[in-house]
Amino acid sequence: MRLSKLVGKRIKEIPKDAQTTSHILLVRGGYVRQVSTGIYTLLPLAKRIKSKVEAIIRQEMNNIDGQEILMPVVLPSELWEESGRLHTVGPELLRFSDRNKKEMILGMTHEEAVVHAVRTDINSYKQLPVMLYQIQTKYRDEARPRAGLIRVREFTMKDAYSFHTSQDCLCAYYQQVHDAYENIFKKIGFKNVVSIQSDPGMMGGNTSHEFMAIADCGEDTIFMSANGEYKANRDIAQSCLHHSIEKKLPLEKVHTPGKKTIDEVAKFLGVPTSKAGKAVFYADGNDNVIFVVIRGDIDVNEVKLKNYLNTQDLQFATDEQIRKIGCVSGYASPLNIDFEKTRVIFDQSAAKEFNLIVGANEEDYHYKNFNFSREMATVTDKIDTVDLAVVKEGEPCPVTGEPLVLKRGIEIGNIFQLGTKYTDSMGCSYLDQKGKSQTMIMGCYGIGVGRIIASVIEQSNDKFGPIWPFSIAPYHVHICAINSKKPEVKQAAENLYSKFLVEKIEVIYDDRTEKPGSMFNDADLIGVPLRIIISPKTLDRKEVEFKTRDGSRKEFIPLESITEFIKAEIDCRSQ
RNA sequence: CGGGGCGUAGCGCAGUCUGGCAGCGCGGCUGCUUUGGGAGCAGUAGGUCGCAGGUUCGAAUCCUGCCGCCCCGACCA
């Protein structure tokens, strides 16, 4: 490719709309252009990178017996009606009607579509297990797209779906996909990707992992032990807090006039907030009130709570709802509660702590020295004790005991063991050896292609531009012809370029008559790993200069042997 | 959806408070000079000042409404 003809001009100024490194460099380098919020055109450089990423993914998916298909972007609502997601998924699902008033949607993920395909074409255990995948455009009507390609509305995703006759088979395959994903991210050239346990969320199912590219601009929070043995996202991370053993003191009612919040009560009684039991009330859509007790210095993790209650529908209870179950807002207490009217859940922190301050269920009064094991002894079977805590950086790791480290990450892939959530509701079954109809067991596996491009930049750049890993670089070699108005330079550069084309070397050739500074800056922005500089100076010595984008090498090579030299360099990087 | 910011040439911005010729830098095009880290000179093209309405002799500037874009939050397989 001649740089003079490449569509996508480099821009010197920092684009007004861009903040993150990858966004700035993708725009400045002429890789992408925004069309609307969260909607981008990929220009030739980005398209080449994307194709290379896809090729790596495709190879690994085929390696684990995946069969590539292509499902529609536009889908009839009926399919989503069948799975039930038409109503459970919020406004991020874009809905519209066609000219015949038929309700349609834009696919944000394709479980329904793939189940439709599988239930039509697979009906015997002999055809299972099977994995189908596609690399296809997805649309999600995101509330707030941001950071260039990292959070967008329209994007390309590799989504794969596997179908099994047993949970064991799914588990084994899940592990294969996990391994394939690690291969993919390694081949792409990421410096730092971790797989962490995650919350399955709206996808349903049990086990799931997220693959996180570690980057400061990432929107996900990851807790890790220093040695990396424990890794979990914010939604499910746990910590093991220390509880110093104390002598249980007698329960004592104290006057706390007007002190309603944890801070006020703790300060008034001269104890740290960790010695107070916080009462938090939630209500679901059916007016059921859930009474959560947690240590005063810890917040309730609503994702953990929703998962535990197996509901997505949960809000803070209103004062009215709290009153109805017989609690006094601000002085609510787990003591003497009517278990018929509310469900009580203790976070472990509050259950294990000694001599807590709790409410007295009476205006202006609290109790001192509440001890769960003593005060709740007769009703423990009516109380759930679970982990609902929001974990904070520095708390002890549940596995190693070291302080947890907080990192930011970009979710570039995820894998789920879905079970029968979709196959059940959509009637996706097969006949087993005995001729009996069985429901298929399903897994699904996604990778965000656009996010990968941005994430690689976040992990591999300098102040001049991206430093592409060889495997996904838009080109392998970049030729700069300096002072190409001189016929000998022009001639040598053109010769080399033609030769490279003949040798099928992926080359981009800066054939412009720019100043060297402009050419080098543009080359840095394009980020091609190998660079050849031809100038009057090098030609005087019958040489060209060879440089790597990462700055690790800079040497002069005889003009006559440069083609073989470059071929060898490419070979040893391709393997 | 809540809070904040922005919208003027392809890009980055000044001008808006205090109404009075549509500006600057980069980029583009032409010519000459220059060529190892974003060159110089000369010339030239490029505008619905986001849109609509209002106030005024006169609106980029003041008023009203709308739209778009960015950031924080809420939300998010």
Side-chain angles (χ1 to χ4, degrees):
Chain A
M1 183 70 211
R2 287 174 189 270
L3 193 49
S4 60
K5 301 287 189 205
L6 180 71
V7 174
K9 62 186 171 202
R10 272 74 53 208
I11 298 168
K12 208 187 286 187
E13 282 99 358
I14 293 175
K16 190 175 59 163
D17 292 347
Q19 327 276 328
T20 56
T21 305
S22 60
H23 191 189
I24 290 169
L25 292 179
L26 284 168
V27 175
R28 283 197 51 218
Y31 296 86
V32 302
R33 298 290 180 238
Q34 188 177 60
V35 177
S36 180
T37 302
I39 298 181
Y40 288 83
T41 290
L42 301 191
L43 295 175
L45 287 176
K47 176 65 179 82
R48 286 182 70 94
I49 295 166
K50 177 170 179 271
S51 298
K52 293 194 172 189
V53 170
E54 288 172 355
I56 291 171
I57 293 173
R58 195 170 271 125
Q59 188 185 14
E60 289 295 322
M61 289 295 103
N62 292 343
N63 265 349
I64 54 172
D65 300 321
Q67 302 182 47
E68 187 169 5
I69 59 172
L70 193 59
M71 293 180 275
V73 176
V74 176
L75 297 163
S77 300
E78 312 152 13
L79 266 185
W80 281 58
E81 184 86 58
E82 273 193 65
S83 72
R85 279 208 294 187
L86 190 63
H87 307 293
T88 56
V89 173
E92 61 268 25
L93 178 66
L94 186 63
R95 305 148 209 248
F96 60 98
S97 25
D98 69 10
R99 64 199 298 163
N100 296 318
K101 303 271 181 328
K102 183 177 162 68
E103 298 289 316
M104 309 295 279
I105 59 147
L106 286 189
M108 54 188 285
T109 170
H110 280 76
E111 283 75 17
E112 286 81 359
V114 78
V115 165
H116 176 269
V118 167
R119 73 182 175 192
T120 316
D121 272 271
I122 295 184
N123 37 41
S124 160
Y125 73 94
K126 293 176 188 166
Q127 298 169 281
L128 296 173
V130 71
M131 187 270 265
L132 298 174
Y133 76 97
Q134 65 172 349
I135 297 173
Q136 173 65 298
T137 299
K138 298 278 186 282
Y139 186 89
R140 290 182 194 176
D141 219 5
E142 290 284 351
R144 185 151 100 77
R146 68 189 109 183
L149 291 192
I150 290 172
R151 188 161 204 82
V152 290
R153 292 193 288 177
E154 190 195 282
F155 58 100
T156 300
M157 175 168 158
K158 184 285 299 175
D159 47 324
Y161 309 88
S162 68
F163 296 83
H164 309 267
T165 57
S166 72
Q167 179 66 29
D168 283 352
C169 182
L170 169 62
C171 286
Y173 193 73
Y174 184 84
Q175 189 55 48
Q176 278 193 59
V177 178
H178 192 284
D179 294 347
Y181 271 37
E182 290 188 330
N183 290 342
I184 287 167
F185 299 130
K186 200 169 147 199
K187 280 188 182 176
I188 284 170
F190 274 107
K191 291 179 178 159
N192 197 354
V193 172
V194 296
S195 97
I196 61 172
Q197 301 167 44
S198 66
D199 165 53
M202 86 161 198
M203 294 299 296
N206 308 312
T207 304
S208 65
H209 284 80
E210 289 168 347
F211 288 79
M212 294 287 184
I214 303 297
D216 289 339
C217 72
E219 14 176 40
D220 293 291
T221 305
I222 303 156
F223 287 96
M224 298 175 72
S225 58
N227 65 3
E229 193 180 327
Y230 179 79
K231 298 167 287 197
N233 78 6
R234 187 212 296 268
D235 296 336
I236 67 161
Q238 301 188 331
S239 64
C240 54
L241 294 170
H242 297 300
H243 300 275
S244 51
I245 311 262
E246 294 173 21
K247 184 165 182 251
K248 289 178 193 165
L249 300 171
L251 195 64
E252 181 189 339
K253 194 165 171 182
V254 287
H255 192 221
T256 50
K259 309 298 178 195
K260 292 190 166 191
T261 67
I262 290 294
D263 283 344
E264 287 167 358
V265 173
K267 201 171 166 194
F268 181 73
L269 295 174
V271 296
T273 53
S274 60
K275 297 303 283 185
K278 177 161 56 180
V280 191
F281 295 90
Y282 290 90
D284 69 12
N286 300 323
D287 217 27
N288 297 313
V289 177
I290 296 101
F291 181 178
V292 176
V293 184
I294 193 165
R295 225 171 70 178
D297 59 328
I298 302 175
D299 290 325
V300 174
N301 182 325
E302 291 183 16
V303 176
K304 287 183 183 176
L305 182 59
K306 283 177 181 172
N307 285 345
Y308 183 70
L309 297 171
N310 197 20
T311 178
Q312 290 301 308
D313 184 13
L314 208 62
Q315 306 90 35
F316 281 124
T318 61
D319 281 356
E320 173 66 28
Q321 286 172 314
I322 295 172
R323 214 173 307 127
K324 260 192 182 161
I325 61 158
C327 282
V328 180
S329 197
Y331 303 91
S333 177
L335 288 163
N336 307 319
I337 201 80
D338 185 348
F339 290 98
E340 299 299 315
K341 291 184 176 164
T342 182
R343 183 166 180 185
V344 179
I345 305 179
F346 264 72
D347 179 67
Q348 293 167 349
S349 61
K352 287 182 187 162
E353 197 65 49
F354 290 82
N355 300 324
L356 277 179
I357 312 287
V358 298
N361 255 343
E362 185 181 334
E363 197 79 21
D364 294 340
Y365 283 96
H366 281 81
Y367 277 107
K368 276 167 78 172
N369 304 329
F370 171 91
N371 288 280
F372 180 82
S373 59
R374 180 179 66 196
E375 264 67 60
M376 298 284 111
T378 57
V379 288
T380 41
D381 57 322
K382 292 178 178 144
I383 297 174
D384 300 312
T385 305
V386 295
D387 169 45
L388 296 177
V390 169
V391 168
K392 292 193 279 288
E393 183 164 33
E395 291 177 356
C397 169
V399 176
T400 68
E402 304 165 285
L404 285 169
V405 179
L406 185 153
K407 300 217 169 188
R408 310 284 298 172
I410 302 163
E411 185 185 349
I412 52 175
N414 54 29
I415 55 180
F416 297 87
Q417 291 187 18
L418 288 176
T420 56
K421 175 176 158 128
Y422 297 92
T423 47
D424 240 348
S425 54
M426 298 184 66
C428 183
S429 58
Y430 64 97
L431 294 179
D432 67 13
Q433 286 96 323
K434 294 172 185 151
K436 212 177 135 205
S437 181
Q438 303 281 2
T439 302
M440 292 185 208
I441 298 169
M442 188 174 171
C444 77
Y445 320 94
I447 291 180
V449 179
R451 273 187 179 185
I452 284 179
I453 297 173
S455 305
V456 166
I457 297 184
E458 294 293 340
Q459 291 190 1
S460 181
N461 68 80
D462 60 18
K463 65 176 175 175
F464 298 108
I467 302 172
W468 295 112
F470 189 83
S471 60
I472 64 166
Y475 293 92
H476 290 159
V477 186
H478 189 125
I479 300 174
C480 291
I482 288 173
N483 199 353
S484 63
K485 275 190 182 159
K486 294 224 156 101
E488 67 271 25
V489 173
K490 176 87 175 158
Q491 185 74 59
E494 290 285 340
N495 283 349
L496 199 56
Y497 177 56
S498 309
K499 212 161 161 189
F500 282 5
L501 288 181
V502 170
E503 296 286 349
K504 301 259 188 289
I505 292 171
E506 294 184 39
V507 58
I508 184 152
Y509 164 36
D510 193 343
D511 57 334
R512 304 168 304 167
T513 53
E514 290 294 320
K515 298 279 286 186
S518 304
M519 296 180 118
F520 294 151
N521 278 295
D522 278 351
D524 288 341
L525 267 176
I526 295 170
V528 167
L530 310 178
R531 187 178 306 174
I532 290 171
I533 302 156
I534 302 178
S535 72
K537 255 191 253 174
T538 66
L539 286 179
D540 282 349
R541 295 183 293 173
K542 301 216 170 357
E543 286 178 337
V544 298
E545 185 184 340
F546 167 77
K547 262 176 102 169
T548 54
R549 175 63 181 88
D550 63 13
S552 62
R553 284 170 68 192
K554 174 177 154 77
E555 49 204 80
F556 292 88
I557 310 294
L559 187 54
E560 58 185 25
S561 59
I562 186 64
T563 307
E564 292 314 309
F565 177 87
I566 284 291
K567 277 168 76 176
E569 288 292 326
I570 290 171
D571 279 350
C572 79
R573 276 156 229 258
S574 308
Q575 333 136 19

